[in-house]
Amino acid sequence: MIIAANWKMNKTILEVNQFLDEFVSLVGENKHNKIIIAPSFVFLQKVIKFARKKNIKVFAQNCHQFASGAFTGEVSASMLSSIGVNGVILGHGERKAMGETCDMVNQKLKMAICYNLEVILCTGESENNRAEKEIEFQIKTSLKDINTDEKICIAYEPLWAIGSNKSASCENIYLKVKFIRDICKKMGFFNTKILYGGSVNLKNYVRILNIPKIDGILVGGASLKSKDFAEISSFNSSLH
Ligand code: PGA
């Protein structure tokens, strides 16, 4: 399973250090899952140093759509790649709320691929009754002109479930994962990994990870506490 932590704009350096110290002693061997941590840009190198010892992947939460240039305050895919970042989360609902479009996500995705960064591409509806239309549009636009040999990982994150304590139902997640996989297959992407994100917590992660054909979860709020994220990261499908 893929278990990814999206820390968003949280933690100071002291809190990052404390998390890493505690997580290292709690998480054990990490044999079953691919664990990803996506801290703020400023803590990437700190987390990378720690992650090497534990076989954990480190992702950024965004990158710019151009390679370099006069874009004050932005961070490029080449910069991320040059410090050993493994991948990047793209198209998160919170970024779309700040004006990021699917065309921009498509450009960012191409840039990420160009610099060998793995991608978790987020998709999710704002309204229940338009869910399939919105998701299909987002995926088709974001994956436009991307080589179908690329390994794509998509996180289904309905906007109303993010940070709301109202996770989507397992049935809904199952149907959307299937829907997303079908769109990807029609576009020629046959090896897509599909995650769910949106109010995943200690109470529901086992249920969600047991949904057939799901490949993992993207965890926001519940990934901020080392103890909680260590427990979630230790998920073992043969035991649960
Ligand atoms: P949440 O965030 O788990 O706090 O809902 C998930 C996400 O936004 O990736």
PDB file of all heavy atoms in Angstrom, residues 226-240:
ATOM      1  N   SER A 226       3.028  11.979  15.149  1.00  0.00           N
ATOM      2  CA  SER A 226       3.913  10.854  14.823  1.00  0.00           C
ATOM      3  C   SER A 226       3.288   9.510  15.197  1.00  0.00           C
ATOM      4  O   SER A 226       3.378   8.537  14.455  1.00  0.00           O
ATOM      5  CB  SER A 226       5.251  11.025  15.530  1.00  0.00           C
ATOM      6  OG  SER A 226       5.034  11.206  16.914  1.00  0.00           O
ATOM      7  N   LYS A 227       2.619   9.484  16.358  1.00  0.00           N
ATOM      8  CA  LYS A 227       2.067   8.219  16.840  1.00  0.00           C
ATOM      9  C   LYS A 227       0.959   7.734  15.904  1.00  0.00           C
ATOM     10  O   LYS A 227       0.912   6.558  15.532  1.00  0.00           O
ATOM     11  CB  LYS A 227       1.524   8.421  18.263  1.00  0.00           C
ATOM     12  CG  LYS A 227       1.277   7.167  19.019  1.00  0.00           C
ATOM     13  CD  LYS A 227       1.120   7.468  20.525  1.00  0.00           C
ATOM     14  CE  LYS A 227       0.422   6.311  21.206  1.00  0.00           C
ATOM     15  NZ  LYS A 227      -1.018   6.294  20.953  1.00  0.00           N
ATOM     16  N   ASP A 228       0.083   8.634  15.521  1.00  0.00           N
ATOM     17  CA  ASP A 228      -1.030   8.272  14.633  1.00  0.00           C
ATOM     18  C   ASP A 228      -0.511   7.859  13.257  1.00  0.00           C
ATOM     19  O   ASP A 228      -0.923   6.837  12.704  1.00  0.00           O
ATOM     20  CB  ASP A 228      -2.007   9.455  14.458  1.00  0.00           C
ATOM     21  CG  ASP A 228      -2.715   9.806  15.758  1.00  0.00           C
ATOM     22  OD1 ASP A 228      -2.420   9.140  16.778  1.00  0.00           O
ATOM     23  OD2 ASP A 228      -3.548  10.729  15.768  1.00  0.00           O
ATOM     24  N   PHE A 229       0.425   8.635  12.716  1.00  0.00           N
ATOM     25  CA  PHE A 229       0.898   8.297  11.372  1.00  0.00           C
ATOM     26  C   PHE A 229       1.733   7.018  11.389  1.00  0.00           C
ATOM     27  O   PHE A 229       1.710   6.248  10.428  1.00  0.00           O
ATOM     28  CB  PHE A 229       1.670   9.465  10.744  1.00  0.00           C
ATOM     29  CG  PHE A 229       1.921   9.247   9.277  1.00  0.00           C
ATOM     30  CD1 PHE A 229       0.851   9.100   8.390  1.00  0.00           C
ATOM     31  CD2 PHE A 229       3.208   9.138   8.765  1.00  0.00           C
ATOM     32  CE1 PHE A 229       1.067   8.859   7.028  1.00  0.00           C
ATOM     33  CE2 PHE A 229       3.431   8.894   7.413  1.00  0.00           C
ATOM     34  CZ  PHE A 229       2.367   8.763   6.550  1.00  0.00           C
ATOM     35  N   ALA A 230       2.429   6.763  12.489  1.00  0.00           N
ATOM     36  CA  ALA A 230       3.187   5.507  12.594  1.00  0.00           C
ATOM     37  C   ALA A 230       2.226   4.321  12.593  1.00  0.00           C
ATOM     38  O   ALA A 230       2.468   3.301  11.946  1.00  0.00           O
ATOM     39  CB  ALA A 230       4.037   5.515  13.855  1.00  0.00           C
ATOM     40  N   GLU A 231       1.128   4.464  13.317  1.00  0.00           N
ATOM     41  CA  GLU A 231       0.150   3.362  13.346  1.00  0.00           C
ATOM     42  C   GLU A 231      -0.439   3.133  11.949  1.00  0.00           C
ATOM     43  O   GLU A 231      -0.521   1.999  11.468  1.00  0.00           O
ATOM     44  CB  GLU A 231      -0.967   3.679  14.354  1.00  0.00           C
ATOM     45  CG  GLU A 231      -1.972   2.543  14.444  1.00  0.00           C
ATOM     46  CD  GLU A 231      -3.054   2.768  15.495  1.00  0.00           C
ATOM     47  OE1 GLU A 231      -2.803   3.455  16.502  1.00  0.00           O
ATOM     48  OE2 GLU A 231      -4.160   2.238  15.271  1.00  0.00           O
ATOM     49  N   ILE A 232      -0.827   4.209  11.291  1.00  0.00           N
ATOM     50  CA  ILE A 232      -1.417   4.078   9.949  1.00  0.00           C
ATOM     51  C   ILE A 232      -0.392   3.496   8.973  1.00  0.00           C
ATOM     52  O   ILE A 232      -0.704   2.616   8.170  1.00  0.00           O
ATOM     53  CB  ILE A 232      -1.935   5.460   9.466  1.00  0.00           C
ATOM     54  CG1 ILE A 232      -3.087   5.931  10.362  1.00  0.00           C
ATOM     55  CG2 ILE A 232      -2.384   5.409   8.014  1.00  0.00           C
ATOM     56  CD1 ILE A 232      -3.563   7.358  10.110  1.00  0.00           C
ATOM     57  N   SER A 233       0.855   3.946   9.091  1.00  0.00           N
ATOM     58  CA  SER A 233       1.914   3.472   8.183  1.00  0.00           C
ATOM     59  C   SER A 233       2.253   2.004   8.382  1.00  0.00           C
ATOM     60  O   SER A 233       2.859   1.377   7.521  1.00  0.00           O
ATOM     61  CB  SER A 233       3.211   4.250   8.423  1.00  0.00           C
ATOM     62  OG  SER A 233       3.004   5.594   8.282  1.00  0.00           O
ATOM     63  N   SER A 234       1.903   1.478   9.544  1.00  0.00           N
ATOM     64  CA  SER A 234       2.235   0.074   9.826  1.00  0.00           C
ATOM     65  C   SER A 234       1.136  -0.878   9.358  1.00  0.00           C
ATOM     66  O   SER A 234       1.186  -2.063   9.652  1.00  0.00           O
ATOM     67  CB  SER A 234       2.445  -0.123  11.321  1.00  0.00           C
ATOM     68  OG  SER A 234       3.363   0.824  11.789  1.00  0.00           O
ATOM     69  N   PHE A 235       0.165  -0.369   8.608  1.00  0.00           N
ATOM     70  CA  PHE A 235      -0.929  -1.216   8.121  1.00  0.00           C
ATOM     71  C   PHE A 235      -0.374  -2.454   7.399  1.00  0.00           C
ATOM     72  O   PHE A 235       0.514  -2.342   6.558  1.00  0.00           O
ATOM     73  CB  PHE A 235      -1.819  -0.417   7.153  1.00  0.00           C
ATOM     74  CG  PHE A 235      -2.898  -1.239   6.515  1.00  0.00           C
ATOM     75  CD1 PHE A 235      -4.085  -1.487   7.183  1.00  0.00           C
ATOM     76  CD2 PHE A 235      -2.726  -1.778   5.243  1.00  0.00           C
ATOM     77  CE1 PHE A 235      -5.081  -2.259   6.599  1.00  0.00           C
ATOM     78  CE2 PHE A 235      -3.714  -2.546   4.650  1.00  0.00           C
ATOM     79  CZ  PHE A 235      -4.889  -2.774   5.320  1.00  0.00           C
ATOM     80  N   ASN A 236      -0.946  -3.595   7.754  1.00  0.00           N
ATOM     81  CA  ASN A 236      -0.520  -4.847   7.124  1.00  0.00           C
ATOM     82  C   ASN A 236      -1.784  -5.590   6.714  1.00  0.00           C
ATOM     83  O   ASN A 236      -2.525  -6.079   7.564  1.00  0.00           O
ATOM     84  CB  ASN A 236       0.294  -5.654   8.145  1.00  0.00           C
ATOM     85  CG  ASN A 236       0.727  -7.001   7.608  1.00  0.00           C
ATOM     86  OD1 ASN A 236       0.240  -7.444   6.552  1.00  0.00           O
ATOM     87  ND2 ASN A 236       1.615  -7.652   8.326  1.00  0.00           N
ATOM     88  N   SER A 237      -2.003  -5.672   5.399  1.00  0.00           N
ATOM     89  CA  SER A 237      -3.285  -6.213   4.923  1.00  0.00           C
ATOM     90  C   SER A 237      -3.504  -7.666   5.343  1.00  0.00           C
ATOM     91  O   SER A 237      -4.639  -8.116   5.470  1.00  0.00           O
ATOM     92  CB  SER A 237      -3.387  -6.102   3.406  1.00  0.00           C
ATOM     93  OG  SER A 237      -2.243  -6.653   2.839  1.00  0.00           O
ATOM     94  N   SER A 238      -2.428  -8.397   5.611  1.00  0.00           N
ATOM     95  CA  SER A 238      -2.648  -9.792   6.013  1.00  0.00           C
ATOM     96  C   SER A 238      -3.079  -9.897   7.482  1.00  0.00           C
ATOM     97  O   SER A 238      -3.544 -10.940   7.910  1.00  0.00           O
ATOM     98  CB  SER A 238      -1.369 -10.615   5.779  1.00  0.00           C
ATOM     99  OG  SER A 238      -0.318 -10.049   6.484  1.00  0.00           O
ATOM    100  N   LEU A 239      -2.938  -8.813   8.239  1.00  0.00           N
ATOM    101  CA  LEU A 239      -3.348  -8.850   9.644  1.00  0.00           C
ATOM    102  C   LEU A 239      -4.708  -8.198   9.885  1.00  0.00           C
ATOM    103  O   LEU A 239      -5.402  -8.512  10.834  1.00  0.00           O
ATOM    104  CB  LEU A 239      -2.320  -8.113  10.523  1.00  0.00           C
ATOM    105  CG  LEU A 239      -0.904  -8.674  10.551  1.00  0.00           C
ATOM    106  CD1 LEU A 239      -0.017  -7.814  11.422  1.00  0.00           C
ATOM    107  CD2 LEU A 239      -0.906 -10.108  11.061  1.00  0.00           C
ATOM    108  N   HIS A 240      -5.090  -7.267   8.989  1.00  0.00           N
ATOM    109  CA  HIS A 240      -6.322  -6.505   9.234  1.00  0.00           C
ATOM    110  C   HIS A 240      -7.511  -7.119   8.497  1.00  0.00           C
ATOM    111  O   HIS A 240      -7.383  -7.598   7.405  1.00  0.00           O
ATOM    112  CB  HIS A 240      -6.149  -5.055   8.772  1.00  0.00           C
ATOM    113  CG  HIS A 240      -5.290  -4.263   9.703  1.00  0.00           C
ATOM    114  ND1 HIS A 240      -3.971  -3.965   9.419  1.00  0.00           N
ATOM    115  CD2 HIS A 240      -5.537  -3.708  10.908  1.00  0.00           C
ATOM    116  CE1 HIS A 240      -3.470  -3.241  10.405  1.00  0.00           C
ATOM    117  NE2 HIS A 240      -4.373  -3.089  11.322  1.00  0.00           N
TER     118      HIS A 240
END
